Amino acid sequence: MKKEQLLDLYYQMVLIRRVEERGAELYQAGKIGGFMHLYIGQEAVSTGLIAAREPRDRVITAYRDHGVAINCGISADSVMAELLGKATGMSKGKGGSMHMADTSKNMWGGHAIVGGHLPIAAGFAIGDQYAKNDNITICMFGDGATNIGYFHEALNIAKTWGLRVLWVCENNQYGMGTAVERASAVDEIRQKAEGYGMKNSAVNGMDVMAVYEAAKEAMDFIRKEGQPYFLEINTYRFRGHSMGDPERYRKAKEVKKWQENDPIGIFNKYLLDKKVASRKALDEIEARVEEEVIKAVEFAETSPEPAMEELFTDIYAD
Amino acid sequence: MAKITMREAISQALMEEMDRDPAVFIMGQEVGVWGGTYAVTKGFYDKYGPDRIKDTPIAENAILGGAIGAAMVGQRPVAELMTINFAFSAMDYVVNQAAKLRYMFGGQFMLPLVIRAVGGGGRQLGATHSQTPDAVFAHFPGLKVVSPGTPEDAKGLLKSAIRSNDPILFIEHATMYQVRGEVPEGEYTIPIGKSKIQREGSDVTIVTYCKGLELSMKAADELAKEGIQAEIVDLRTLRPLDMEPVLESFKKTNRAIVVEEGWKSYGVGSEIVSRIYEEAFDYIDAPIIRVAQKEVPLPYNRTLEQAALPQVHDIVAAAKEVLK
């Protein structure tokens, strides 16, 4: 990867982190409603993954979607505006935190029914297969989604029909507050793909370069073979499941241990060690991000509320 | 005008639309090699091949989720549910996904999807396979629900549904595939969301649809023998609901009954009666009666099953009651 690309990945990861930190403050201040699930700690996952896609490849994810949106090229302005429910958000304020999409950037949401978007991801690939192109659908979901029926129906049809889907399980060790081993028949989630005869692997999700390499390899396979691939990415969310999480289910010591493996810190060190960038250059990126986030908050706060007529638009196309 | 069966009408609609638009394909259980469990897609697999006639696993979430995804990215799938009872296995896709995704993402994409589903009782299939849950689905904004009662309407409405850019649940009745009716020669469509007067009369309005239409037409013949002229309004589409012909008819007759095969509580009849009260209160000369299924899960035994389903004589009795 070229230097500019590497620095861009760093920029994306820091941007996600700062947007969410400000988002959390705005949530506490009552300016953001509903549920909000932070991606902090998992930034390397979507950043590495989406860096490996072609623009024509589709991305669909679960409700922990702010980071994915940013990686897909949606602006911090638009993300912040959607969080605040403003007309300038990418879903015109009708979707909120859990439903961020911009189909022009091939980001198809933001889906909040656990596992519900997996058959839809298969459907994108059915559509692409029918259109006889070799687009890939990258479908991200949590470990919790692998225990629900949707997951199994989607994987089964993907393998049976030869659909170009990269199934990405972001194993952040907990489905809400229930640890993987308390909810899943197998601790190593990728074993589930074995049951469907699907090629699979696992990768350390705190290392953006490792994620990128694994995703690239998987996508090469999918494109070439016309078959799905299952990638388990091990990661950890540093914050609670959502903003209202008392975190009784995990110990501070465990959280601290993972936080020592901060994906941004790891990548920062990588860039310095490999002499890709100087400390000054990285500081400049961080300063640029700070400014961008301040502007995004200002943009969102000064953006108009959706017009009352919007209540009745977009229900039907005809 | 040619006289064809409901099965032929639906089959013709599918074939004509597949010939017209290459984006249209069919997916569902046994739609291909088998030829359709109700033989609607017989011959399709040989004509169109496996790419356009997709036999799916028995996995309703994959069928409907898959069809929704394909529709979102520009195809025009017709997903078939072997029976509407299986929609409950994939309820999320009907009422949560198909009905809401466009709105939730601010109209960024269209969802041109038809879900064909067979409903209805009367075939001794037991309680879980015999339901008429149309009202459940009609409850949800974002979905359109169509349920024709004649071959002409079935063909014209299905063609419109396939051309529509919105998700449409198209409900057929398991006992009506052999019903024959006149169908116009050549190309035609019928607009979704338009009720229709299927029989004119001046004494009492019968509001109904689908199987209820078949029964109500017979009841109207019976009533006519006794000098009672019933006017039958066929809803054809449950959402969006076109009340104009209903209200027009009611303002003429001032008396109405509503006939549906589903359960009475919280049903289509409940909605129609409320709307008449809200929109034509001054025209009401008698309490409006709902004819519907008894409030029981449908039993297997034929006699018991028929006793639970609305019958022609129930409709005749209800019409006479509102005319007292």
Side-chain angles (χ1 to χ4, degrees):
Chain A
M1 207 185 266
K2 287 195 180 112
K3 179 183 167 181
E4 291 73 30
Q5 285 173 289
L6 290 167
L7 293 183
D8 185 51
L9 295 192
Y10 186 73
Y11 157 78
Q12 289 178 37
M13 289 171 72
V14 177
L15 182 60
I16 295 169
R17 178 76 52 101
R18 300 287 172 261
V19 162
E20 290 208 319
E21 285 168 351
R22 282 295 286 138
E25 288 167 27
L26 292 166
Y27 189 93
Q28 303 291 9
K31 291 186 178 174
I32 296 171
F35 294 143
M36 185 162 83
H37 309 81
L38 300 180
Y39 203 54
I40 291 174
Q42 299 180 218
E43 295 93 340
V45 177
S46 64
T47 303
L49 194 59
I50 292 161
R53 78 159 175 169
E54 303 283 341
R56 64 198 163 96
D57 297 329
R58 308 175 193 281
V59 177
I60 181 168
T61 188
Y63 44 81
R64 203 178 296 284
D65 60 352
H66 315 147
V68 182
I70 285 170
N71 293 132
C72 286
I74 299 175
S75 70
D77 284 4
S78 184
V79 169
M80 205 58 94
E82 189 62 33
L83 286 173
L84 267 66
K86 296 300 183 73
T88 51
M90 78 292 277
S91 298
K92 302 200 282 194
K94 291 180 174 180
S97 165
M98 302 194 288
H99 308 111
M100 297 200 168
D102 184 343
T103 58
S104 72
K105 299 193 159 59
N106 249 333
M107 162 50 169
W108 292 83
H111 295 261
I113 301 291
V114 171
H117 64 294
L118 276 71
I120 294 173
F124 293 167
I126 291 169
D128 283 325
Q129 184 182 59
Y130 190 70
K132 299 197 174 1
N133 63 48
D134 66 353
N135 298 349
I136 293 172
T137 295
I138 302 170
C139 178
M140 304 167 71
F141 46 89
D143 44 273
T146 69
N147 303 319
I148 199 166
Y150 303 123
F151 169 86
H152 298 276
E153 291 192 26
L155 261 66
N156 182 66
I157 203 166
K159 185 62 171 64
T160 309
W161 286 13
L163 302 177
R164 287 194 169 91
V165 183
L166 175 54
W167 300 109
V168 180
C169 176
E170 290 190 78
N171 182 354
N172 67 8
Q173 320 303 320
Y174 293 89
M176 280 193 76
T178 305
V180 168
E181 62 271 19
R182 291 175 62 214
S184 174
V186 290
D187 296 355
E188 200 187 5
I189 306 282
R190 72 186 187 91
Q191 287 176 16
K192 291 179 184 178
E194 294 283 342
Y196 297 99
M198 198 179 294
K199 198 166 159 66
N200 61 85
S201 59
V203 66
N204 171 16
M206 307 314 262
D207 179 348
V208 69
M209 293 315 293
V211 172
Y212 171 78
E213 294 300 338
K216 199 90 193 156
E217 197 176 309
M219 292 178 80
D220 285 347
F221 171 84
I222 295 166
R223 193 107 54 202
K224 195 159 146 266
E225 302 294 328
Q227 282 295 329
Y229 189 103
F230 190 96
L231 183 60
E232 177 178 1
I233 304 186
N234 286 293
T235 182
Y236 199 81
R237 56 173 161 70
F238 293 173
R239 303 289 184 94
H241 165 76
S242 63
M243 292 300 291
D245 178 356
E247 292 196 63
R248 289 193 193 96
Y249 53 87
R250 61 186 192 181
K251 295 196 164 58
K253 208 168 94 183
E254 175 188 301
V255 179
K256 194 165 171 290
K257 196 186 117 221
W258 278 89
Q259 281 175 339
E260 283 163 11
N261 281 315
D262 187 321
I264 294 177
I266 290 173
F267 194 41
N268 182 300
K269 188 171 179 304
Y270 172 92
L271 294 171
L272 293 175
D273 288 353
K274 296 264 179 194
K275 301 205 187 319
V276 176
S278 64
R279 190 169 297 280
K280 186 165 164 280
L282 298 182
D283 287 349
E284 274 168 18
I285 289 173
E286 282 169 42
R288 178 155 66 95
V289 166
E290 294 288 352
E291 208 166 299
E292 194 173 335
V293 174
I294 289 167
K295 278 195 187 139
V297 173
E298 197 182 301
F299 172 81
E301 293 206 295
T302 57
S303 282
E305 290 280 317
M308 211 38 87
E309 300 87 76
E310 280 294 331
L311 186 57
F312 298 104
T313 65
D314 307 322
I315 303 169
Y316 298 108
D318 288 345
Chain B
M1 299 279 264
K3 204 161 189 183
I4 63 170
T5 63
M6 187 75 95
R7 174 182 289 113
E8 289 165 333
I10 294 166
S11 182
Q12 284 180 11
L14 290 168
M15 207 170 260
E16 286 176 19
E17 292 308 301
M18 288 192 68
D19 289 340
R20 192 186 60 81
D21 185 350
V24 179
F25 66 81
I26 295 174
M27 60 190 285
Q29 293 158 22
E30 311 299 354
V31 295
V33 177
W34 187 292
T37 39
Y38 287 90
V40 170
T41 52
K42 197 174 159 203
F44 279 49
Y45 187 83
D46 291 337
K47 182 174 178 192
Y48 298 107
D51 285 353
R52 298 191 73 189
I53 308 295
K54 296 178 183 296
D55 278 323
T56 64
I58 304 171
E60 280 76 16
N61 292 295
I63 296 169
L64 295 188
I68 287 167
M72 284 168 73
V73 299
Q75 307 303 338
R76 293 186 167 271
V78 177
E80 182 177 321
L81 291 174
M82 196 182 289
T83 93
I84 198 164
N85 304 281
F86 305 162
F88 300 140
S89 297
M91 198 65 174
D92 191 53
Y93 293 94
V94 188
V95 306
N96 247 347
Q97 311 288 356
K100 295 182 175 68
L101 288 177
R102 175 177 163 80
Y103 188 85
M104 206 160 60
F105 294 115
Q108 292 189 50
F109 47 80
M110 299 189 297
L111 231 153
L113 165 71
V114 177
I115 303 170
R116 277 186 55 229
V118 185
R123 296 183 72 240
Q124 290 191 269
L125 297 174
T128 63
H129 276 56
S130 305
Q131 299 170 93
T132 311
D134 314 346
V136 171
F137 297 99
H139 187 61
F140 290 86
L143 199 64
K144 291 182 180 176
V145 180
V146 175
S147 190
T150 68
E152 179 183 359
D153 286 343
K155 183 174 176 184
L157 284 165
L158 182 53
K159 284 168 70 75
S160 293
I162 293 170
R163 295 180 192 191
S164 162
N165 293 311
D166 292 310
I168 294 176
L169 178 63
F170 191 90
I171 305 173
E172 300 159 21
H173 198 286
T175 67
M176 292 179 76
Y177 285 112
Q178 296 292 6
V179 168
R180 285 183 172 275
E182 300 276 352
V183 171
E185 302 281 353
E187 176 80 26
Y188 74 97
T189 59
I190 291 172
I192 287 158
K194 293 282 174 211
S195 303
K196 183 188 179 187
I197 307 286
Q198 296 279 18
R199 178 185 174 121
E200 289 188 14
S202 50
D203 298 324
V204 58
T205 299
I206 302 177
V207 184
T208 188
Y209 71 97
C210 197
K211 183 71 178 180
L213 176 66
E214 183 191 318
L215 301 175
S216 297
M217 292 297 259
K218 288 178 184 158
D221 288 342
E222 297 283 314
L223 290 164
K225 288 179 198 156
E226 301 183 39
I228 298 166
Q229 301 307 322
E231 179 150 290
I232 299 179
V233 186
D234 179 4
L235 299 172
R236 303 195 293 186
T237 302
L238 299 181
R239 182 185 276 274
L241 180 61
D242 174 22
M243 280 299 288
E244 272 314 308
V246 176
L247 295 170
E248 241 170 71
S249 176
F250 187 73
K251 285 175 183 175
K252 189 170 70 180
T253 64
N254 310 111
R255 292 159 200 276
I257 63 171
V258 188
V259 180
E260 66 185 303
E261 193 187 279
W263 292 295
K264 187 185 286 185
S265 301
Y266 310 100
V268 173
S270 311
E271 178 66 21
I272 299 297
V273 173
S274 301
R275 294 285 292 267
I276 292 173
Y277 272 85
E278 286 166 0
E279 293 164 42
F281 182 75
D282 292 342
Y283 295 85
I284 300 171
D285 279 358
I288 302 161
I289 293 179
R290 291 171 290 164
V291 178
Q293 190 175 138
K294 305 283 187 303
E295 305 275 332
V296 296
L298 271 191
Y300 161 72
N301 175 276
R302 179 155 183 82
T303 308
L304 292 180
E305 184 185 36
Q306 289 301 320
L309 290 168
Q311 305 291 342
V312 173
H313 60 80
D314 297 321
I315 302 169
V316 170
K320 287 182 182 173
E321 179 68 27
V322 295
L323 282 164
K324 262 187 194 164

